[in-house]
Amino acid sequence: MCGIFAYLNYNVNRERRFVLEVLFNGLRRLEYRGYDSAGISIDASNSPSSPSLPPFVFRQEGNIESLVKSVYQEVATTDLNLEESFSVHAGIAHTRWATHGEPAPRNSHPQTSGSGNEFVVVHNGVVTNYEVLKETLLRHGFTFESETDTEVIPKLAKFVFDKANEEGDKTVTFSQVVLEVIRHLEGAYALIFKSRHYPNELIACKRGSPLLLGVKEYGEETSCGPSFHDVNFLKKDEQPKEFFLSSDANALVEHTKKVLVIEDGEVVHLKDGAVSILKFDHKGKHSGSLVRPASVQRALSFLDMEVEQINKGNYEHYMQKEIHEQPESLRTTMRGRLIRGGSCKAKTVLLGGLKDHLKTIRRSRRIVFIGCGTSYNAALAARPILEELSGIPVTMEIASDLLDRQGPIYREDTAVFVSQSGETADTLNALEYALENGALCVGITNTVGSAIARNTHCGVHINAGAEIGVASTKAYTSQIVVMAMLALAIGDDAISSQGRRETIIDGLCELPGKVREVLKLDQEMKDLAKLLIAEQSLLVFGRGYNYATALEGALKVKEVALMHSEGILAGEMKHGPLALVDENLPIVVIATRDACFSKQQSVIQQLHARKGRLIVMCSKGDSASVCVGGSCRVIEVPQVEDCLQPVINVVPLQLLAYHLTVLRGYNVDQPRNLAKSVTTQ
């Protein structure tokens, strides 16, 4: 959702214009997360005679380029020198996805403590007790300009700072102020604080929402994984360095690959070229005075990512690129995990992150898949094969609904949490709930070091590569493949299903080539999109393995093309949906060869009898079997093993959604009102 970025240079001379461009470019890298307004804050001066001038704050509704334009226009009306050089400077930036208050400059971030900009804050998340805090601050004479929950944070920081000074504590540190502020906050947040009282310092902290620190050092070569202890993980010295804070790695990789994934409850203080990491316990006791918790030891990790992965290359849009990357992303997902021995050796699957827990999973009373949106659909596609090969009941839970119902989770359950980002708020809350109930928790995510990867007992990374487009494509197909491999690994001890497992493994090996083949339907899907461009609604019928395909295909059209679309279980057609059928409503029926094929043929017959406007997806060579009297449009796709067919079948629907969106003139990569990573409830 919201995107946070910050830049601090230490003993590296940078002009103000350079600092601005670093901040703007950081926000551009976070655009895909979804936003409706943006803002930045930079220092007014580096002169020793005026160190406490209030920092500049620029905020603008609309896209980042609107912010860039407004900043340079405003600068042109002042005497601000863009060529002024800073050896140390701290700047912060933010893209906002509205939760409290409409998109408007007053509601954009950074939010400030008042007219003097004494404390400036950017925030990703939701402060659930902001109304109580706001009432308290109003009683103490504070006035509020925005409708946001965030504005209470810098104002509370000013209140804490002023109170400490009134009581004679002139030595109160920035970290003490921030620690006292977050002691009062409830909800989820990632925060970066900047203050004129503490020039050239930044403080970052998080609880629930993602935040990373990147470090770039100049001079002597240092190892990519130093450990650090006490208050300094990079000791206070004069060595030139730059620090970057970001909501995710996409905005860091072009600057550095040395990163620290900030964990919940950590307060990271950047000062004098050093980084102090303090651990704050929200549930701990508090004496009432400003205290300094113990520092913690952490280690930098190396970011296994290239800038090329987050560029569009020769494609017009990220979604288009990611659809066409699927043959390679699937190959990467399976690399090193499929063991195809010789004639005497069985074909098996090796999932290193699960091997120590497979016996426990096999003893489970049930397996519970938990996810949201596309991740839920991927799990639904994999459920039949997992039930078949494991013999264990598999249930599906939408994360938010599980929490709303407080549904039963038992110690004998295996709970599988599926999330592309690994930071989805509802899924994380469901994970916490499952851990409290004693279940074995398995994570399936695309993001190394994410909250789900860190907090589950075991798991599998899907290794699909960076996915920038808000509408998930390659992550979805890689999730299905990983869960198919999970089913193979769990069922590996059953001799009766060995032949079936080996056939699936062969199918997995051939899958990237089959996806490459189905991508040749690109122009055909574009032609179909031209026929559907003016339609208001679309129905997609599927069953068996392809009920999930119907849901996901409809979701893609809904997300990006802004067309009402609905995925429907074909077996439920007569229980309501049939009333919608007429000669005008376009209907997609997925009828590839599997155990449900004859039933889908019957569905097609019934829809045709009611003059339905049919678009049928079938296996190659089955056109005559599914097209009644040549009256429907047919999409032929390659035939693969039934449990892998959803991977093939979803690709034409992804292409259809993409072309519909482009033809209708909408933003493919940043659909209206949506965010890539849903980090608030």
Side-chain angles (χ1 to χ4, degrees):
M1 286 187 150
C2 300
I4 288 176
F5 187 79
Y7 169 64
L8 190 153
N9 55 300
Y10 177 75
N11 279 351
V12 181
N13 287 320
R14 298 298 190 200
E15 295 176 347
R16 182 180 276 115
R17 187 186 301 276
F18 178 89
V19 172
L20 281 172
E21 288 304 320
V22 169
L23 294 174
F24 290 146
N25 200 50
L27 293 184
R28 290 185 184 104
R29 293 298 191 192
L30 298 173
E31 275 190 299
Y32 77 99
R33 295 174 66 86
Y35 71 106
D36 45 54
S37 55
I40 63 168
S41 177
I42 58 171
D43 288 336
S45 175
N46 67 349
S47 170
S49 61
S50 56
S52 60
L53 283 175
F56 287 102
V57 174
F58 304 94
R59 299 182 295 215
Q60 184 66 32
E61 179 186 349
N63 62 26
I64 290 165
E65 300 316 313
S66 298
L67 173 67
V68 173
K69 183 178 179 180
S70 70
V71 168
Y72 284 122
Q73 285 177 342
E74 193 169 337
V75 166
T77 64
T78 69
D79 58 358
L80 191 66
N81 181 10
L82 293 180
E83 314 311 319
E84 183 177 4
S85 185
F86 296 78
S87 62
V88 186
H89 181 282
I92 61 177
H94 186 269
T95 54
R96 176 178 184 255
W97 193 85
T99 55
H100 297 73
E102 64 182 0
R106 70 180 184 281
N107 292 325
S108 303
H109 298 206
Q111 287 288 314
T112 75
S113 56
S115 57
N117 295 346
E118 293 178 53
F119 290 87
V120 184
V121 169
V122 291
H123 170 215
N124 175 19
V126 172
V127 178
T128 54
N129 65 330
Y130 82 99
E131 290 177 331
V132 174
L133 296 173
K134 187 173 183 176
E135 288 174 8
T136 303
L137 292 166
L138 285 168
R139 287 198 299 270
H140 284 87
F142 285 87
T143 58
F144 286 77
E145 299 173 3
S146 78
E147 302 150 45
T148 68
D149 55 331
T150 303
E151 193 178 0
V152 301
I153 301 171
K155 285 179 165 52
L156 184 57
K158 176 172 167 52
F159 175 75
V160 170
F161 178 82
D162 290 346
K163 186 178 179 182
N165 278 271
E166 286 169 10
E167 294 173 354
D169 186 0
K170 303 292 185 182
T171 61
V172 60
T173 65
F174 200 4
S175 58
Q176 286 176 314
V177 172
V178 171
L179 285 161
E180 180 64 13
V181 168
I182 64 176
R183 186 175 72 86
H184 291 85
L185 301 183
E186 296 176 6
Y189 54 75
L191 298 166
I192 302 178
F193 290 79
K194 175 179 168 64
S195 174
R196 60 186 287 192
H197 298 296
Y198 304 97
N200 306 320
E201 297 181 38
L202 290 176
I203 289 187
C205 53
K206 74 174 286 283
R207 184 186 184 206
S209 299
L211 197 57
L212 293 88
L213 169 68
V215 183
K216 183 176 183 178
E217 296 180 87
Y218 295 87
E220 287 187 26
E221 291 296 318
T222 56
S223 66
C224 66
S227 59
F228 33 90
H229 186 59
D230 198 37
V231 297
N232 298 324
F233 87 82
L234 289 173
K235 62 182 182 296
K236 181 177 177 180
D237 57 27
E238 299 305 310
Q239 184 176 344
K241 54 180 73 79
E242 293 173 302
F243 299 105
F244 307 86
L245 289 157
S246 176
S247 295
D248 65 39
N250 289 342
L252 299 179
V253 66
E254 64 189 286
H255 301 291
T256 181
K257 292 190 177 182
K258 293 164 64 175
V259 299
L260 171 76
V261 179
I262 301 173
E263 295 185 353
D264 282 356
E266 288 185 342
V267 176
V268 177
H269 189 178
L270 310 183
K271 179 183 178 182
D272 297 334
V275 180
S276 307
I277 305 178
L278 307 174
K279 190 72 175 178
F280 177 76
D281 183 5
H282 242 280
K283 299 178 183 177
K285 294 181 180 179
H286 187 75
S287 64
S289 59
L290 298 182
V291 296
R292 182 183 179 88
S295 57
V296 296
Q297 182 177 353
R298 293 292 308 281
L300 288 172
S301 56
F302 192 75
L303 199 59
D304 186 16
M305 187 178 183
E306 300 297 335
V307 177
E308 290 73 19
Q309 291 179 251
I310 58 173
N311 290 331
K312 292 178 189 173
N314 296 322
Y315 295 95
E316 292 183 29
H317 304 96
Y318 283 112
M319 183 179 179
Q320 181 189 30
K321 173 177 180 268
E322 287 152 11
I323 291 171
H324 287 271
E325 281 180 339
Q326 286 177 107
E328 186 54 39
S329 62
L330 290 170
R331 191 171 283 109
T332 304
T333 296
M334 294 183 282
R335 185 169 292 134
R337 292 169 168 172
L338 298 181
I339 312 300
R340 301 177 80 187
S343 57
C344 299
K345 293 185 178 180
K347 299 167 184 174
T348 59
V349 166
L350 176 63
L351 298 175
L354 290 180
K355 62 181 181 180
D356 294 335
H357 296 83
L358 284 175
K359 288 183 179 179
T360 304
I361 296 172
R362 289 170 185 146
R363 292 196 299 267
S364 301
R365 66 186 288 178
R366 65 172 180 163
I367 295 171
V368 185
F369 275 125
I370 301 168
C372 307
T374 285
S375 294
Y376 176 90
N377 293 341
L380 186 63
R383 175 170 68 172
I385 192 61
L386 184 54
E387 288 178 327
E388 177 188 339
L389 295 182
S390 70
I392 302 170
V394 179
T395 61
M396 303 294 306
E397 293 283 359
I398 295 173
S400 58
D401 184 55
L402 174 67
L403 293 166
D404 291 344
R405 297 180 357 253
Q406 291 290 289
I409 297 287
Y410 303 105
R411 290 177 59 86
E412 299 85 0
D413 289 339
T414 293
V416 182
F417 295 86
V418 190
S419 168
Q420 187 278 139
S421 68
E423 303 286 352
T424 309
D426 287 325
T427 308
L428 284 174
N429 290 332
L431 170 58
E432 185 178 349
Y433 175 70
L435 289 169
E436 289 171 356
N437 284 277
L440 175 67
C441 294
V442 179
I444 295 177
T445 177
N446 194 33
T447 311
V448 176
S450 64
I452 285 178
R454 296 195 310 272
N455 297 328
T456 47
H457 297 110
C458 56
V460 186
H461 288 112
I462 67 172
N463 298 334
E467 190 176 66
I468 308 298
V470 168
S472 181
T473 51
K474 65 178 183 177
Y476 174 76
T477 51
S478 285
Q479 284 172 339
I480 294 175
V481 165
V482 161
M483 286 182 273
M485 291 193 291
L486 172 65
L488 291 166
I490 294 171
D492 193 52
D493 62 338
I495 297 174
S496 59
S497 62
Q498 182 174 327
R500 168 77 158 147
R501 293 197 308 273
E502 293 191 354
T503 302
I504 294 170
I505 291 172
D506 288 337
L508 284 168
C509 294
E510 296 169 1
L511 195 59
K514 297 291 187 180
V515 171
R516 182 167 282 108
E517 186 179 338
V518 81
L519 283 168
K520 294 175 183 177
L521 294 172
D522 192 14
Q523 185 59 47
E524 186 177 331
M525 291 301 101
K526 185 175 182 179
D527 294 339
L528 177 58
K530 290 176 181 177
L531 297 176
L532 300 178
I533 189 171
E535 299 299 331
Q536 298 299 311
S537 190
L538 177 72
L539 299 186
V540 188
F541 284 97
R543 72 194 308 155
Y545 284 105
N546 285 297
Y547 173 43
T549 308
L551 292 177
E552 179 62 14
L555 179 61
K556 288 286 110 26
V557 172
K558 192 183 303 176
E559 280 181 310
V560 293
L562 310 187
M563 176 193 291
H564 169 258
S565 52
E566 189 175 349
I568 299 174
L569 183 64
E572 290 291 294
M573 181 185 67
K574 295 176 185 174
H575 301 280
L578 199 57
L580 296 172
V581 177
D582 61 22
E583 64 273 15
N584 298 313
L585 178 66
I587 302 171
V588 176
V589 181
I590 303 168
T592 45
R593 286 273 176 180
D594 58 20
C596 298
F597 179 65
S598 61
K599 294 178 181 178
Q600 288 300 78
Q601 284 180 301
S602 176
V603 166
I604 293 166
Q605 291 279 0
Q606 293 176 60
L607 291 171
H608 175 68
R610 288 158 181 83
K611 297 183 172 58
R613 186 179 165 192
L614 297 180
I615 303 160
V616 180
M617 184 185 299
C618 66
S619 302
K620 279 192 173 178
D622 273 347
S623 177
S625 302
V626 299
C627 190
V628 182
S631 59
C632 60
R633 189 180 183 100
V634 175
I635 304 166
E636 292 193 6
V637 297
Q639 177 74 32
V640 296
E641 197 67 19
D642 55 2
C643 62
L644 305 179
Q645 195 68 49
V647 174
I648 298 296
N649 292 355
V650 79
V651 175
L653 299 177
Q654 293 172 345
L655 291 168
L656 176 63
Y658 169 76
H659 288 300
L660 263 175
T661 309
V662 173
L663 291 169
R664 297 179 84 167
Y666 298 128
N667 190 326
V668 179
D669 293 326
Q670 295 159 36
R672 185 175 67 196
N673 301 334
L674 297 183
K676 180 66 176 175
S677 181
V678 184
T679 55
T680 59
Q681 289 180 287

